[in-house]
C-alpha cells in the first residue's frame, strides 16, 4: 500500500522540491515576524510587486459604466498579459537559480517571495495590541486594511476583528498552501502563474462581487485553488477541533451552504474558524475603492457577530498550528517518497 502511494504521489509532484518548500516556509515565518510586511502589504511579495506595476492600470480599465462583456474582455486581456509576464519572470528566476544556486538558497529565497506567513502574524498581532489599548497604533489598521482591501472605517471594532480573522484564514489558503501545492507540481513556472491569478482575484475580484473585470481571474484562481483550499480547510478544522476528525468533517463536508463561506469569501478555512468558536464572521463591508461588498454571514445559526478582539489570539494560534501540521505533512511526504518510512 505504501509502495502504491509512493508511486502515485511521485507522478503527481516532484518530492525533491519538498525541502525547498519547507525551508521557504520557515524563512517566510522568521523574516515576516522580524521585519513585518513590506510596504504595508502582508500578502506574498509577488502580489505587491504586480499590484505596484499593473494595479493602477487595471483600475483604469475597470470602468463600471462599461458593459459586463466589455469588462470581462478587458480583464481577460490584462490577465493573459500578466500571466505571460509572470512566466517570463519565472524563466528568469529559473536561470538565476541554475547559475547561482548557492546550495539551493536562491530557489528558497525566490519561493519565499511567493508565499506569506510571518508577516500576517505580525500584522494581526499589531492590530490586536492596537485594539487592546484602544488606540490607532502605528500602521496597525493600515496594514490589515491594505492587505484585505477592506475599508476599516466602514466597520466597528467587531467588524475589524472579523476582517482580521478572515485574513488569517484566506492568507493561509491563498498565500501559503496553494503556492506550495503548485510549486511541488510544476516548480517556479506554475507557482508564478498561480501567484498572478491569485493577485488579480485579490485586487479585482471583490470577493466575487466584481462587475465583470475580475471574472476571469476569479474563475482561473478557483480552478487552480479549489484543491489547496480543501486541504487548508481540513488543516484549520483539524487544529480548531484539536484532532476531533468527526467534528472537523462535519464542517468541511459538502452539504447545506447556509452558514458556510462561499469559496471567494474565505471558503472552508473561514468556515472552520467561525463554526469552531460559534461566532458570525464575514458580513457586508466596503472595499478601499468604495464598492460595497455584501458578503454572507458565516457561522452557526444564532451566532453573535460581536466578535471581541481577544479571539484574535486563538485565531493566530490556529493559523500557526495549521502551519506546523502542514510542515509535518510535507516532511512525511518527503520521507515516504524516499522510502524512509517503509
Amino acid at each position: 500500500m505504501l509502495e502504491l502511494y509512493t508511486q502515485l504521489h511521485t507522478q503527481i509532484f516532484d518530492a525533491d522540491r519538498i525541502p525547498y518548500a519547507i525551508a521557504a516556509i520557515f524563512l517566510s515565518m522568521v523574516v515576516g515576524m522580524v521585519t513585518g510586511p513590506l510596504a504595508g502589504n502582508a500578502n506574498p511579495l509577488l502580489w505587491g510587486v504586480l499590484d505596484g506595476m499593473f494595479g493602477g492600470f487595471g483600475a483604469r480599465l475597470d470602468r463600471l459604466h462599461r458593459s459586463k462583456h466589455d469588462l470581462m474582455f478587458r480583464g481577460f486581456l490584462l490577465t493573459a498579459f500578466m500571466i505571460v509576464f509572470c512566466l517570463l519572470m519565472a524563466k528568469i528566476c529559473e536561470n538565476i537559480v541554475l547559475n547561482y544556486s548557492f546550495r539551493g538558497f536562491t530557489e528558497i529565497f525566490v519561493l519565499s517571495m511567493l508565499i506569506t506567513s510571518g508577516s500576517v502574524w505580525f500584522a494581526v498581532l499589531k492590530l490586536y495590541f492596537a485594539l487592546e489599548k484602544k488606540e490607532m497604533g502605528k500602521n496597525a489598521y493600515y496594514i490589515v486594511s491594505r492587505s484585505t482591501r477592506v475599508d476599516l472605517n466602514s466597520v466597528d471594532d467587531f467588524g475589524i476583528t472579523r476582517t482580521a480573522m478572515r485574513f488569517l484564514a484566506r492568507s493561509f489558503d491563498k498565500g501559503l498552501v496553494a503556492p506550495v501545492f503548485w510549486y511541488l507540481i510544476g516548480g517556479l513556472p506554475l507557482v508564478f502563474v498561480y501567484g498572478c491569478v491569485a493577485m488579480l482575484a485579490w485586487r479585482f475580484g471583490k470577493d466575487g462581487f466584481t462587475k465583470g473585470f475580475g471574472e476571469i481571474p476569479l474563475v482561473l484562481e478557483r480552478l487552480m485553488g479549489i484543491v489547496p483550499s480543501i486541504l487548508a480547510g481540513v488543516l484549520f478544522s483539524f487544529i480548531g477541533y484539536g484532532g476531533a476528525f468527526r467534528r472537523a468533517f462535519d464542517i468541511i463536508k459538502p452539504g447545506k451552504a447556509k452558514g458556510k463561506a462561499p469559496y471567494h469569501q474565505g471558503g472552508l478555512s473561514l468556515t472552520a474558524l467561525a463554526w469552531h468558536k460559534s461566532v458570525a464572521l464575514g458580513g457586508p463591508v466596503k472595499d478601499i475603492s468604495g464598492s460595497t461588498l455584501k458578503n454572507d454571514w458565516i457561522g452557526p445559526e444564532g451566532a453573535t457577530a460581536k466578535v471581541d478582539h481577544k479571539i484574535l489570539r486563538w485565531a493566530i494560534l490556529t493559523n500557526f498550528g495549521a502551519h506546523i501540521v502542514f510542515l509535518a505533512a510535507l516532511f512525511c511526504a518527503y520521507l515516504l517518497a524516499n522510502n524512509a518510512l517503509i
Side-chain angles (χ1 to χ4, degrees):
M1 184 68 179
L2 284 174
E3 183 178 355
L4 177 62
Y5 171 78
T6 301
Q7 293 175 354
L8 178 63
H9 89 290
T10 299
Q11 294 175 3
I12 296 175
F13 63 83
D14 186 353
D16 290 336
R17 296 191 182 110
I18 293 179
Y20 296 101
I22 292 175
I25 293 172
F26 275 115
L27 182 63
S28 176
M29 291 166 64
V30 174
V31 173
M33 278 296 295
V34 173
T35 66
L38 183 64
N41 190 340
N43 290 302
L45 179 61
L46 177 68
W47 294 23
V49 171
L50 293 177
D51 186 27
M53 295 177 67
F54 303 106
F57 177 68
R60 287 192 291 272
L61 292 176
D62 188 12
R63 298 298 185 183
L64 297 183
H65 65 274
R66 296 278 184 173
S67 68
K68 182 175 181 178
H69 293 296
D70 185 22
L71 289 174
M72 288 181 65
F73 182 67
R74 289 174 172 223
F76 166 76
L77 291 178
L78 180 64
T79 301
F81 173 79
M82 288 184 60
I83 287 176
V84 172
F85 177 80
C86 284
L87 284 172
L88 291 175
M89 287 181 64
K91 184 63 177 178
I92 292 172
C93 288
E94 282 190 321
N95 288 334
I96 294 174
V97 167
L98 184 63
N99 294 305
Y100 306 96
S101 174
F102 298 111
R103 297 186 176 181
F105 179 77
T106 305
E107 185 161 357
I108 293 169
F109 178 75
V110 172
L111 181 58
S112 70
M113 295 190 296
L114 301 169
I115 63 178
T116 187
S117 58
S119 58
V120 176
W121 304 334
F122 182 99
V124 178
L125 275 172
K126 198 165 188 177
L127 178 66
Y128 168 79
F129 290 125
L131 290 169
E132 179 76 10
K133 297 176 182 178
K134 299 187 182 300
E135 61 184 24
M136 290 300 293
K138 186 178 180 181
N139 294 331
Y141 291 76
Y142 172 75
I143 294 173
V144 173
S145 179
R146 183 174 182 190
S147 301
T148 60
R149 295 194 57 79
V150 172
D151 179 5
L152 297 184
N153 292 318
S154 68
V155 293
D156 57 12
D157 285 357
F158 300 127
I160 293 172
T161 301
R162 295 193 300 268
T163 299
M165 290 185 69
R166 187 175 70 153
F167 183 46
L168 285 166
R170 296 183 75 173
S171 63
F172 179 72
D173 178 2
K174 311 302 178 190
L176 183 71
V177 176
V180 170
F181 177 85
W182 287 108
Y183 169 72
L184 296 179
I185 291 177
L188 292 179
L190 273 187
V191 73
F192 265 90
V193 170
Y194 177 77
C196 175
V197 298
M199 173 270 165
L200 287 168
W202 163 77
R203 181 64 172 81
F204 301 109
K206 298 182 182 292
D207 294 343
F209 294 100
T210 175
K211 301 298 183 181
F213 187 77
E215 200 72 41
I216 301 300
L218 286 174
V219 171
L220 292 177
E221 195 286 322
R222 185 162 190 168
L223 286 173
M224 297 187 73
I226 188 64
V227 173
S229 179
I230 293 172
L231 175 58
V234 169
L235 292 174
F236 258 62
S237 300
F238 177 77
I239 296 299
Y241 285 105
F245 285 103
R246 183 174 180 180
R247 296 189 68 186
F249 180 73
D250 287 340
I251 296 297
I252 65 175
K253 69 180 180 181
K256 297 176 64 176
K258 187 176 181 181
K260 296 185 179 182
Y263 178 84
H264 295 304
Q265 295 179 33
L268 295 176
S269 299
L270 184 62
T271 300
L273 281 181
W275 280 73
H276 174 60
K277 282 299 182 180
S278 295
V279 295
L281 300 178
V285 295
K286 278 189 177 181
D287 72 3
I288 57 178
S289 66
S291 299
T292 298
L293 310 180
K294 297 181 180 179
N295 291 327
D296 296 354
W297 287 104
I298 313 305
E301 188 175 353
T304 179
K306 295 182 178 180
V307 184
D308 189 88
H309 69 278
K310 288 181 170 50
I311 201 174
L312 286 177
R313 292 178 297 182
W314 169 83
I316 293 172
L317 287 174
T318 300
N319 184 290
F320 178 77
H323 274 72
I324 299 303
V325 176
F326 184 50
L327 285 167
L330 290 174
F331 184 68
C332 290
Y334 181 71
L335 294 179
L336 283 171
N338 289 277
N339 299 323
L341 294 180
I342 299 179

